[in-house]
Each structure stands twice: as structure tokens, then as C-alpha cells.
């Protein structure tokens, strides 16, 4: 074969096609992809985007709940909430750790978050106004996250899959503690029940928006399914969550704020009302009630921690000298 | 000064008698901090009786591209498996 620039490009092209074919065969055979394996650039960048968004969500998600630690109504509630918020930090770190295996640094991921280039789940841009919101978040937000994460345990990227398995083991305590708060309040005084219903009213729609745009408006779903990064589509996961949750609301005497919610015998699922996608995109694009506050707080904590990181480095250097 | 933190790989032994198993990594500057961070991150529910931390840069790994040739020496030695051997009918406890 001639070695002019055209044939070199052709050889490179053929090589990439061959690699991509081997890669897709592995995916189709349900084999996991590990960090050192060859992978298409698009697979890598999709994973970095998805995993970092997931990690940022865990970390930013500490804020709305952290807001209530000092005002928890009992010592028991306070200890539980502290443990839960600590778990969220842990989940964020498992995910950053998985993301770093793709060749991106933690500093870069933080920078993308601070510059608004990386997103986090919009649900955390809503304020937590009452103690009942701690119930609603655990029950609905963690509940929705579990549905998503259970399906992601089978994602094709090894480190992400292992992170999801660990997170799922820890997450069910979160949902149960939230539902317990809701059940207590729903069975409490009239005012307490109203607070619980109010929290459900405010968090229901944002929770079902957590699964993202409808499949018909989700441009990246195709590749994510082909590469088995995602195992179920946004709409499938959303339906799954709604079907699980309706009976839980009924059991504690709360009403899901959707007049169109109706059991569909034929589908074996609930039909539900139209989601306000304008609100969804508005919050995603930075105009939710707390977007600015959440990001500012993260930047502030990061900046104020600078001296700690420096001191730790200086201490380590000194230790090495002394050894 | 290089600002990026040092990355340590974390291995946990879930109980005595079992091998240490890789669980992920932590950022830390010295070995004590690495151990404490690993404890806080990976054993919040008594998952372990012992933790190892190793700087990531000290891990040497085989590479997937060489997988075939690297592991090739094992391929043609079926006689290393017990099923390779013909035993007379009726042989027991073997």
C-alpha cells in the first residue's frame, strides 16, 4: 500500500472502525468496559458528562438538607439527617472517583461546575421551606434517584456500575427515613398533615422531572442506549417511579397533586398529566429559585477550603523530608 | 506548587480470613489522612476490618491491548485442570 497521506488516513479510519466494532461487540455481549480499554471518544465524553453531573448532584444536594440539620425537631431526627447528608457526600466522592478513571481531574470537574458548564439535578434548585420537605426529599427525590440508580447498576462502564451498586445499598435508608417523616406528619395534627401535603405538592412535579426530558426530546438517548450507558429511557424510569409511589401516598392519606393521574388497566400503569417542560428548562438553564445560591455556596466552601488543602500539602512535604 | 491532590487506591478486607478487595480511591496528602479518608468514605457501615491504601502511581497494571499475548502461556495447558484426566469407572473420592 502507498504511504501517501490519503492512504495513511484511510488506514487510520479502518483501524478506528475495527476498534469500534470490537467495542460494540463487547457491549452487546454485556461485557463491562474498564478504564484502560479502548473506547470511542463519544462514549468517554458522554460518561464524563453523565457521571460528573451525577456527582455534582450528590454534593449540591447536601445543601437543601443541610439547611435543616440545626433545626431538626428531635435528637433522633438530627442524627439521622446528619448521617444522610454525610452519605450524600460519600456518594458524590464515589462518583468523582469513577469519573476520574476516564482521565479527567477533580479540579477540572469542579471548574466545569463553577463555570456552569456542568449541570446538576435541577431538583436541588428548589428551596426547603419546612421540616416536611426533609420527608418529601427523602421519599420522592431519593426514591426517584433509586429508580434511576438501580437501572444504572447494569451500566456498561465498570467503575460507574460498581459505584452504583454501592450507592444503591446505602440509598434505601434515605428513602425510608423520608417516608417515615411523611407518615408521621400525615398522621399528626391538622397543621402537620397540611405541611406534609404542601411538601408533596411542591416536590411532586420537580421529582418526576428529575428523569429528564421525554424520550422524544432527549437527543443523546440513542447513543447512551446503544452503548448501554443507560439501560432504560427517561420515560420508562419516570413511569416506573410513578407506579411505585402512588400507593405509598395513598397509604399515608396524602394526595398526589395531579388531577389527571389515573390507573390505566390496559397498560398496567398510571396515566399522568402533562409536565410543565417550560419550568423544567427554565430551572435547567439557571433560573430556578435557588440556582445562584447553590453555586455561590459551593464556590465559597471551595475557596475557603484552599488553606486547608495547602496546609495538608505542606505537612505531607515536611513528613517526606523527615523520613 | 502542584495543586492537584494525590490519589490513593483503597482496598478493604471485609473480615479476617478474606482477601483485601479494591473499592475505589480517595484524595489525600499523606498516608494517615489517606487511611482516615478511606475509613470515612468506604466503611461508614462497618464494611471492613482492615484497610490498605496505596498511591495510585505505585500501581502497575497489565494493558488490555496485550491481553491475548500476555495471558497466552496459560491457553495450551489444559492438563492443569482436573477435568483433563480419564479415570477408571467406579473411582471414588478423587
Amino acid at each position: 500500500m502507498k504511504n501517501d497521506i490519503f492512504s495513511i488516513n484511510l488506514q487510520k479510519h479502518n483501524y478506528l472502525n475495527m476498534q469500534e466494532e470490537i467495542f460494540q461487540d463487547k457491549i452487546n455481549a454485556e461485557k463491562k468496559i474498564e478504564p484502560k480499554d479502548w473506547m470511542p471518544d463519544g462514549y468517554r465524553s458522554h460518561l464524563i458528562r453523565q457521571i460528573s453531573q451525577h456527582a455534582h448532584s450528590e454534593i449540591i444536594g447536601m445543601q437543601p438538607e443541610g439547611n435543616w440539620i440545626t433545626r431538626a425537631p428531635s435528637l433522633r431526627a438530627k442524627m439521622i439527617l446528619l448521617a444522610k447528608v454525610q452519605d450524600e457526600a460519600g456518594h458524590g466522592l464515589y462518583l468523582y472517583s469513577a469519573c476520574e478513571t476516564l482521565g479527567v481531574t477533580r479540579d477540572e470537574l469542579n471548574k466545569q461546575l463553577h463555570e456552569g458548564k456542568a449541570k446538576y439535578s435541577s431538583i436541588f434548585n428548589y428551596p426547603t421551606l419546612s421540616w416536611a420537605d426533609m420527608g418529601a426529599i427523602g421519599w420522592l427525590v431519593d426514591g426517584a434517584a433509586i429508580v434511576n440508580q438501580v437501572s444504572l447498576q447494569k451500566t456498561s462502564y465498570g467503575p460507574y456500575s460498581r459505584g452504583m451498586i454501592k450507592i444503591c445499598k446505602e440509598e434505601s435508608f434515605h428513602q425510608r427515613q423520608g417516608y417515615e417523616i411523611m407518615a408521621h406528619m400525615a398522621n399528626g395534627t391538622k397543621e402537620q398533615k397540611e405541611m406534609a401535603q404542601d411538601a408533596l405538592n411542591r416536590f411532586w412535579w420537580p421529582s418526576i422531572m428529575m428523569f429528564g426530558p421525554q424520550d422524544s426530546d432527549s437527543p443523546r438517548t440513542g447513543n447512551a442506549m446503544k452503548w448501554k450507558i443507560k439501560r432504560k429511557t427517561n420515560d420508562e424510569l419516570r413511569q416506573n417511579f410513578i407506579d411505585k409511589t402512588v400507593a405509598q401516598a395513598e397509604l399515608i392519606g396524602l394526595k398526589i397533586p395531579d388531577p389527571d393521574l389515573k390507573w390505566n388497566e390496559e397498560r398496567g400503569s398510571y396515566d399522568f398529566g402533562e409536565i410543565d417542560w417550560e419550568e423544567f428548562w427554565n430551572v435547567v438553564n439557571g433560573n430556578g429559585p435557588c440556582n445562584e445560591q447553590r453555586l455561590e455556596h459551593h464556590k465559597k466552601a471551595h475557596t475557603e477550603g484552599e488553606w486547608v488543602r495547602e496546609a495538608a500539602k505542606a505537612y505531607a512535604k515536611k513528613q517526606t523530608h523527615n523520613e | 506548587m502542584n495543586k492537584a491532590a494525590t490519589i490513593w487506591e483503597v482496598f478493604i478486607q471485609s473480615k479476617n480470613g478474606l482477601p483485601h478487595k479494591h473499592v475505589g480511591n480517595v484524595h489525600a496528602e499523606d498516608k494517615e489522612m489517606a487511611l482516615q479518608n478511606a475509613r470515612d468514605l468506604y466503611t461508614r457501615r462497618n464494611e471492613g476490618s482492615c484497610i490498605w491504601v496505596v498511591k495510585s502511581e505505585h500501581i502497575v497494571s497489565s494493558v488490555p491491548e496485550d491481553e491475548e499475548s500476555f495471558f497466552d502461556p496459560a491457553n495450551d495447558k489444559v492438563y492443569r485442570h482436573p477435568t483433563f484426566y480419564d479415570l477408571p469407572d467406579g473411582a471414588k473420592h478423587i
Side-chain angles (χ1 to χ4, degrees), chain A residues 94-145:
Chain A
Y94 303 154
L95 286 158
Y96 284 129
S97 164
C99 203
E100 284 166 318
T101 64
L102 291 157
V104 63
T105 65
R106 188 85 55 94
D107 287 337
E108 176 61 26
L109 296 173
N110 268 326
K111 191 163 157 253
Q112 288 173 0
L113 175 68
H114 290 168
E115 288 173 355
K117 286 181 191 147
K119 304 278 184 207
Y120 55 86
S121 181
S122 281
I123 192 84
F124 303 117
N125 289 320
Y126 292 86
T128 44
L129 305 176
S130 83
W131 175 251
D133 289 7
M134 295 304 97
I137 287 184
W139 174 36
L140 302 173
V141 177
D142 289 283

Side-chain angles (χ1 to χ4, degrees), chain A residues 36-37 86-87 90 93-94 97 100 106-107 166 170 173 306 312-313 315-316 323, chain B residues 1-4 7 25 27 29-31 33 41-42 44-45 47 61-62 64-65:
Chain A
K36 285 177 187 288
D37 291 341
Q86 197 192 5
D87 268 358
L93 293 177
Y94 303 154
S97 164
E100 284 166 318
R106 188 85 55 94
D107 287 337
K166 188 153 173 59
E170 301 184 356
F173 128 60
E306 183 67 42
K313 263 205 184 307
Y315 177 73
E323 258 168 29
Chain B
M1 188 153 71
N2 177 21
K3 281 179 80 179
I7 300 179
N25 68 39
H27 286 199
E29 295 306 341
D30 59 79
K31 46 195 177 186
M33 186 193 271
L41 187 56
Y42 292 104
R44 287 194 303 281
R45 289 171 176 76
E47 287 94 336
S61 167
S62 62
E65 288 94 86

Side-chain angles (χ1 to χ4, degrees), chain A residues 75-95:
Chain A
L75 189 56
R76 176 183 188 268
K78 186 174 180 151
M79 291 192 306
I80 292 170
L81 190 57
L82 263 173
K84 178 175 191 282
V85 174
Q86 197 192 5
D87 268 358
E88 305 300 356
H91 296 174
L93 293 177
Y94 303 154
L95 286 158

Side-chain angles (χ1 to χ4, degrees), chain A residues 34-237:
Chain A
E34 293 294 339
K36 285 177 187 288
D37 291 341
W38 186 92
M39 60 184 86
D41 291 343
Y43 179 80
R44 186 184 299 274
S45 58
H46 188 109
L47 276 172
I48 291 176
R49 188 177 50 243
Q50 181 171 328
I51 301 175
S52 70
Q53 179 171 331
H54 200 158
H56 296 325
S57 302
E58 301 280 359
I59 299 298
I60 296 286
M62 294 165 73
Q63 291 183 41
E65 292 186 297
N67 181 38
W68 280 89
I69 290 175
T70 54
R71 287 174 284 158
S74 69
L75 189 56
R76 176 183 188 268
K78 186 174 180 151
M79 291 192 306
I80 292 170
L81 190 57
L82 263 173
K84 178 175 191 282
V85 174
Q86 197 192 5
D87 268 358
E88 305 300 356
H91 296 174
L93 293 177
Y94 303 154
L95 286 158
Y96 284 129
S97 164
C99 203
E100 284 166 318
T101 64
L102 291 157
V104 63
T105 65
R106 188 85 55 94
D107 287 337
E108 176 61 26
L109 296 173
N110 268 326
K111 191 163 157 253
Q112 288 173 0
L113 175 68
H114 290 168
E115 288 173 355
K117 286 181 191 147
K119 304 278 184 207
Y120 55 86
S121 181
S122 281
I123 192 84
F124 303 117
N125 289 320
Y126 292 86
T128 44
L129 305 176
S130 83
W131 175 251
D133 289 7
M134 295 304 97
I137 287 184
W139 174 36
L140 302 173
V141 177
D142 289 283
I146 289 171
V147 167
N148 187 32
Q149 289 167 165
V150 164
S151 111
L152 285 174
Q153 290 181 110
K154 292 206 306 200
T155 189
S156 58
Y157 188 56
Y160 192 24
S161 161
R162 294 192 281 277
M164 284 297 107
I165 290 168
K166 188 153 173 59
I167 287 177
C168 282
K169 271 189 200 156
E170 301 184 356
E171 196 85 61
S172 69
F173 128 60
H174 297 183
Q175 198 192 12
R176 278 165 168 247
Q177 67 85 33
Y179 189 57
E180 187 194 78
I181 293 174
M182 288 304 257
H184 273 167
M185 295 190 76
N187 287 313
T189 63
K190 186 168 161 285
E191 287 79 8
Q192 285 169 334
K193 183 165 186 181
E194 276 168 13
M195 279 167 79
Q197 182 63 53
D198 174 60
L200 172 56
N201 292 350
R202 282 181 291 110
F203 276 95
W204 174 253
W205 290 101
S207 298
I208 65 172
M209 287 177 197
M210 279 175 70
F211 297 99
Q214 283 166 302
D215 296 347
S216 50
D217 294 323
S218 183
R220 294 193 192 104
T221 299
N223 269 338
M225 297 293 285
K226 181 181 106 184
W227 289 329
K228 302 196 178 185
I229 293 175
K230 290 180 78 161
R231 306 308 306 257
K232 283 187 175 158
T233 69
N234 297 353
D235 286 338
E236 285 171 326
L237 294 166

